[in-house]
Amino acid sequence: MVFRCQRDSWARQFATRVVSCRAAELRPEGGGEPVRGFQVVLEDTILFPEGGGQPDDRGLIGDVPVLRVTRRGPEAVHFVPAALEPGAEVLLSLDWERRFDHMQQHSGQHLITAIADQMFGFKTTSWELGRQRSIIELDTPSVTAEQIEALERSVNEKIRERVPVTVRELTADDPDIETVRSRGLPDDHVGPVRVIDIEGIDSNMCCGTHVSNLSDLQVIKLLGTEKGKKNKTNLVFLAGNRVLKSLEQSHSTEKALTSLLKNGPGEHVEAVKRLQSSVKLLQKNNLNLLRDIAVLIARDFKSKPAPSQLFVLHRKEGDSEFMNIIANEIGTEETLLFLTVGDDKEAGLFLLAGPVEAVENLGPRVAELLGGKGAGKRGRFQGKATRMSRRGEVEALLREFTSSGSPEA
């Protein structure tokens, strides 16, 4: 069946009738618990069901939001959160911004695919209409920067020429079908075959919604390529309003960087490189200072006439290396060390070091109290903690152990 959305991609409202309504569940695209609702079939629809690489539409049936539209044989199935009465007349309203975006990206893909084949013999093997950018998979191991530039220039020339885009409906046995580009029909396809014609450029079998003239695309920007599957290349592109939104975002970012870096856009890259070099140097100096502090802390402890059997230290700044340097300097044959770095009350790192048997017994208990996970070997047990506020409980446990030789249960 060819739906109203395929016969008229520009229709934004449409009166129709409910054919059926049955209880169902919808699994969210991002995962999670299924949503309970109803599957509604209408006599006809302006809401496109997903297919041909194009996502489904959104809209309203009356005042009931449509959360998903899928194709089931000749039917378009609308998932809604509230039941609708079979036989009732309803008014469909389309989320036009979403639809027009899909039309621009889909027609843009047809144009890019056709010109890439004509200019370089690159065949399209699949494509994806993403939420922020779209990808065309080309049957070639590589595409040069010069080829991308030439392809982008050519497709935008076609847009400026205002080339018409039309839709034909053919019967399955029409000989013209043999002359159009196609990756085959779905197994459950019934009814006429739709062909999208870009005048003088391309004829392609397709179920999606499209613009009526290439000028409706406004502009196409090829963002470059990414490595695809074996011997394939992914060509990334934006069409129409997505190019304008991307430009607006880039301009806002450029203005913010100009304000932060106190220089012009042409100097941003060099300024950031200088900042990166400075940060690396500061990080190196900070690491060296932390190492020196760790050694001094350990030496101060060892210099005491009668060092305690337990050494406890928390420092906001530090890392695993900092704690291990202290443990190495103090030695763990006779002293039990409990070291922590990070936030005072929430997340951080911990190290329990000391006699092997003591650490093996106490390590899991320490990790449990701190709400973390860890592992240990040869007298050291270290890991990540989520409840640093319980360090006092750990210290009490360790003092009990050092005074009695065993922790309380």
Side-chain angles (χ1 to χ4, degrees), residues 107 110 165-168 194-198 202-208 210-211:
S107 297
H110 279 223
V165 180
T166 56
V167 179
R168 287 183 288 158
R194 291 178 79 242
V195 176
I196 309 301
D197 291 317
I198 304 176
D202 186 48
S203 292
N204 183 23
M205 198 182 296
C206 181
C207 66
H210 290 270
V211 301

Side-chain angles (χ1 to χ4, degrees), residues 199-311:
E199 188 176 287
I201 298 173
D202 186 48
S203 292
N204 183 23
M205 198 182 296
C206 181
C207 66
T209 56
H210 290 270
V211 301
S212 55
N213 192 289
L214 289 187
S215 62
D216 296 321
L217 298 181
Q218 301 167 285
V219 65
I220 285 175
K221 178 60 185 175
L222 304 184
L223 298 179
T225 60
E226 298 172 351
K227 186 176 181 180
K229 298 174 184 176
K230 187 176 181 181
N231 293 324
K232 304 286 178 65
T233 298
N234 293 334
L235 179 64
V236 185
F237 77 94
L238 303 174
N241 289 334
R242 291 195 183 190
V243 178
L244 300 179
K245 288 179 181 178
S246 178
L247 181 60
E248 180 181 357
Q249 184 179 17
S250 296
H251 182 59
S252 296
T253 301
E254 186 177 274
K255 285 176 63 179
L257 286 171
T258 297
S259 176
L260 289 169
L261 299 173
K262 309 300 183 186
N263 59 16
E267 300 170 294
H268 286 173
V269 173
E270 288 303 317
V272 171
K273 285 181 179 179
R274 289 195 297 271
L275 284 173
Q276 286 179 323
S277 297
S278 298
V279 168
K280 286 180 180 178
L281 181 59
L282 288 171
Q283 288 175 332
K284 182 179 179 180
N285 291 338
N286 184 56
L287 183 59
N288 289 333
L289 286 171
L290 277 174
R291 287 170 176 165
D292 292 342
I293 291 170
V295 171
L296 290 172
I297 288 171
R299 289 179 180 175
D300 178 66
F301 174 78
K302 290 172 68 177
S303 68
K304 293 178 180 177
S308 170
Q309 288 182 290
L310 176 65
F311 179 75

Side-chain angles (χ1 to χ4, degrees), residues 54 74 81 88 115 129 133 151 168 231 235 245 248 259 264 271 290 320 336 349 355 363 377:
Q54 179 176 326
I115 300 300
L129 199 167
R133 61 181 197 162
L151 178 58
R168 287 183 288 158
N231 293 324
L235 179 64
K245 288 179 181 178
E248 180 181 357
S259 176
L290 277 174
S320 293
L336 189 62
L349 303 174
K377 60 181 179 179

Side-chain angles (χ1 to χ4, degrees), residues 54 75 84 112 178 245 254 341:
Q54 179 176 326
E75 299 175 334
L84 298 174
I112 297 167
E178 299 299 322
K245 288 179 181 178
E254 186 177 274
V341 293

Side-chain angles (χ1 to χ4, degrees), residues 13-26:
Q13 286 194 321
F14 177 63
T16 185
R17 193 181 300 273
V18 177
V19 174
S20 65
C21 177
R22 68 180 188 184
E25 289 186 342
L26 174 68

Side-chain angles (χ1 to χ4, degrees), residues 29 70 77 220 286 290 322 354 375 400 404:
E29 292 179 350
T70 56
V77 180
I220 285 175
N286 184 56
L290 277 174
F322 172 78
E400 172 65 25
S404 64

